[in-house]
Structures are given as C-alpha cells and as structure tokens.
Amino acid sequence: MTKSVKHNISLRELSRLSDVRHAALSELANGKRENINFNHIERVAEALEIQDIRQIIDLVEVDE
C-alpha cells in the first residue's frame, strides 16, 4: 500500500507532512510493525486533519 485511499496521499508525502520516517509509515501500512510512538500518531493525524485518531489506528489492550 503506497497511498491512503481515504486521503489520496502517498506515504512519502505523508512522511514529509508529518515528519515521520517513510520507512516507519511503510512498515505500519504493510503490517510489519505493530506499535508506533504516540507522538507519531499525533503528527500523522494532524497532517491528515483528523480529529479522532481511531480513524487511522485500532487501539488494543495488551496483557503484560
């Protein structure tokens, strides 16, 4: 996946707008990474003008 269908933006452009590494975004988009820094989530949401982060991530409870 190289584009966000809903937002019609490439991962490279999203990386530029959010200042989150392209490699990190690519790993997330391709399911190769399961966690992300909350600061990155905030920057991606801001870049996409999203108010509710649940539009871009699924929150799951982790048993420790």
Side-chain angles (χ1 to χ4, degrees):
M1 176 197 305
T2 58
K3 285 191 182 251
S4 168
V5 175
K6 240 182 177 176
H7 299 282
N8 197 32
I9 185 172
S10 70
L11 290 179
R12 193 157 310 281
E13 179 68 4
L14 180 56
S15 173
R16 186 185 71 73
L17 292 172
S18 65
D19 196 29
V20 175
R21 288 181 326 115
H22 177 267
L25 293 174
S26 180
E27 289 172 356
L28 285 167
N30 292 307
K32 293 181 179 177
R33 178 183 284 207
E34 294 182 4
N35 57 26
I36 185 171
N37 180 304
F38 190 78
N39 187 27
H40 290 174
I41 296 169
E42 288 179 310
R43 292 190 308 210
V44 167
E46 185 176 297
L48 296 175
E49 298 179 354
I50 291 173
Q51 300 299 316
D52 185 349
I53 63 170
R54 292 176 294 177
Q55 293 179 20
I56 56 174
I57 64 167
D58 292 321
L59 301 174
V60 295
E61 188 172 327
V62 178
D63 294 329
E64 292 188 35

